């Protein structure tokens, strides 16, 4: 199935995110909120009042949002593990580069495990940050298993954005770090619809925590978008339980994940209004549109536009989401073209 909708999501409430991560980021050298870009041409296309892109293509000098979660999590890791020498992670690209950059800033080493299908330039960017990289001829879930084994070595700490046994604090710190993105949006507007690309679901978890907080208005509908070849969250939502799916490959490399994060799942299950899957061609067309409008979007970042097109192009889905001609839609552009330079599809 390519669509899921939960009518009770906006009434569900959860404890809000702590403010500590936002305060931390505002104190980091070079911090500034990323741009909110109005795109009236897309508003006209989608039949809404306003379409705004939250553009994460240049966050702290990196071409993706991931450094928000990693910087806060490593800040906490260093405080709790003063003997740590090596940060270990698995990545489809952007997360690993953020871990490598942040490790270097703290005088630590980084060991990054990369699954198949990641663009060679993305791998080279991780190496250029000073990380040791291990490339596997396996899927993302296998890379996570490998990183877990490596992190068992003395003075090694796993910095992963998905839950694994015995590794629960760091994924939650990463989600807390992502909350800065939503606080920045909230200082300017409240979306009627927020569209979030999903890999393991940590960014979507942060969106749920922010918009389903105990003081939230319940105004914002949350739409998750996944590749049709790695729609693990959509499969889980339709099954009503956490499931894994095979991942034969997608140009949306950062979303090429077969299993949602176990810690994110309960919140996504209750707090997301809808989920939709899109094809690589959908993402490619969306990236072309955004480029023509002056927004640098890699395949994962363009997934937001591809997803909202798939949702609002259907009258029933549009009614379910409560979107009309007066609505404001916010799309998360999670990566720029520098993060994922070209289309590479696995066989």
């Amino acid at each position: 199935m390519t669509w899921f909708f939960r009518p009770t999501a906006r009434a569900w409430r959860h404890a809000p995110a702590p403010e500590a991560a936002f305060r931390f980021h505002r104190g980091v050298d070079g911090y500034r909120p990323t741009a909110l870009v109005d795109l009236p041409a897309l508003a006209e296309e989608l039949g809404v009042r306003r379409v705004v892109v939250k553009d994460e293509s240049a966050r702290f000098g990196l071409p993706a949002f991931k450094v928000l979660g990693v910087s806060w999590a490593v800040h906490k890791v260093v405080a709790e593990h003063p003997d740590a020498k090596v940060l270990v992670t698995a990545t489809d690209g952007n997360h690993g580069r953020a871990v490598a950059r942040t490790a270097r800033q703290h005088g630590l080493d980084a060991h990054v495990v990369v699954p198949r299908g990641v663009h060679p330039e993305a791998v080279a960017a991780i190496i250029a940050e000073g990380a040791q990289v291990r490339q596997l001829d396996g899927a993302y879930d296998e890379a996570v298993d490998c990183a877990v084994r490596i992190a068992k070595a003395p003075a090694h700490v796993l910095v992963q954005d998905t839950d694994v046994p015995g590794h629960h604090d760091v994924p939650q710190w990463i989600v807390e770090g992502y909350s800065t993105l939503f606080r920045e949006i909230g200082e300017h507007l409240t979306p009627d619809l927020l569209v979030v690309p999903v890999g393991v679901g940590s960014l979507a978890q942060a969106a749920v925590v922010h918009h389903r907080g105990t003081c939230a208005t319940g105004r914002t509908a949350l739409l998750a978008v996944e590749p049709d070849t790695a729609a693990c969250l959509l499969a889980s939502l339709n099954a009503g339980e956490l499931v894994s799916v095979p991942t034969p490959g997608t140009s949306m490399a950062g979303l090429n994940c077969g299993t949602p994060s176990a810690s994110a799942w309960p919140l996504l299950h209750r707090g997301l209004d809808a989920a939709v899957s899109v094809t690589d061609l959908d993402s490619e067309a969306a990236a072309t549109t955004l480029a023509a409008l002056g927004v640098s979007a890699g395949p994962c970042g363009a997934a937001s536009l591809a997803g909202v097109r798939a949702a609002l192009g259907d009258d029933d889905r549009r009614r379910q989401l409560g979107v009309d001609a007066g609505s404001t839609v916010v799309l998360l552009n999670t990566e720029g073209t520098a993060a994922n330079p070209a289309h590479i599809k696995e066989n």
Side-chain angles (χ1 to χ4, degrees):
M1 297 178 67
T2 61
W3 176 255
F4 173 87
F5 176 71
R6 182 179 301 285
T8 58
R10 264 167 279 181
W12 184 72
R13 290 293 176 267
H14 187 274
E19 294 186 8
F22 190 33
R23 291 197 300 268
F24 166 77
H25 285 135
R26 286 185 297 182
V28 172
D29 243 7
Y31 169 76
R32 69 166 189 251
T34 52
L36 287 166
V37 183
D38 263 289
L39 296 178
L42 286 183
E44 183 177 358
E45 175 195 329
L46 297 171
V48 297
R49 183 177 72 87
R50 190 179 181 195
V51 171
V52 180
V53 171
K54 178 64 167 169
D55 186 5
E56 293 292 311
S57 62
R59 173 69 80 168
F60 284 131
L62 291 175
F65 76 100
K66 291 284 190 175
V67 69
L68 280 176
V70 169
S71 59
W72 173 242
V74 172
H75 171 75
K76 299 281 285 183
V77 163
V78 168
E80 298 210 0
H81 300 274
D83 298 328
K85 290 183 170 54
V86 183
L87 304 183
V88 183
T89 197
T91 186
D92 281 319
N94 295 329
H95 174 76
R97 186 174 178 186
V99 170
R101 169 74 63 89
T102 308
R104 180 162 55 83
Q105 290 171 340
H106 284 270
L108 304 173
D109 293 328
H111 193 149
V112 180
V113 184
V114 177
R116 67 175 178 263
V118 177
H119 194 281
E121 289 186 30
V123 176
I126 297 170
I127 295 170
E129 300 288 351
Q132 177 184 353
V133 172
R134 179 179 300 189
Q135 293 184 262
L136 300 184
D137 186 24
Y140 174 79
D141 288 357
E142 295 173 64
V144 172
D145 291 341
C146 179
V148 170
R149 293 192 296 272
I150 293 169
K152 291 178 180 177
H156 288 52
V157 179
L158 186 67
V159 181
Q160 199 61 52
D161 54 355
T162 188
D163 249 2
V164 298
H167 178 71
H168 304 294
D169 289 342
V170 171
Q172 294 314 300
W173 293 335
I174 288 172
V175 170
E176 289 175 8
Y178 293 160
S179 69
T180 290
L181 186 159
F182 300 104
R183 288 180 181 272
E184 290 174 356
I185 295 172
E187 289 182 339
H188 297 277
L189 58 90
T190 300
D192 296 295
L193 175 65
L194 177 71
V195 189
V196 189
V198 169
V200 295
S202 297
L203 181 62
Q205 179 185 351
V208 168
V209 169
H210 183 82
H211 288 284
R212 305 294 180 247
T214 48
C215 296
T217 63
R219 170 179 162 181
T220 302
L222 301 176
L223 171 65
V225 184
E226 296 175 284
D228 61 348
T229 55
C232 58
L233 175 60
L234 186 59
S236 297
L237 290 169
N238 280 309
E241 62 182 354
L242 195 64
V243 300
S244 298
V245 299
T247 53
T250 172
S251 62
M252 294 170 269
L255 310 182
N256 192 30
C257 304
T259 308
S261 171
S263 55
W265 164 244
L267 284 80
L268 304 181
H269 186 215
R270 294 173 177 85
L272 284 176
D273 293 79
V276 68
S277 63
V278 297
T279 68
D280 284 356
L281 288 177
D282 295 331
S283 171
E284 182 180 339
T288 299
T289 298
L290 290 168
L293 296 172
V295 176
S296 171
C300 297
S304 292
L305 175 55
V308 80
R309 282 171 164 169
L312 299 189
D314 180 282
D315 289 342
D316 288 337
R317 294 175 180 181
R318 192 181 186 95
R319 280 193 293 271
Q320 287 174 335
L321 292 170
V323 172
D324 57 29
S327 296
T328 294
V329 176
V330 173
L331 310 178
L332 300 189
N333 177 32
T334 53
E335 65 172 11
T337 54
N340 192 359
H343 176 101
I344 283 189
K345 175 118 175 161
E346 297 173 44
N347 295 318

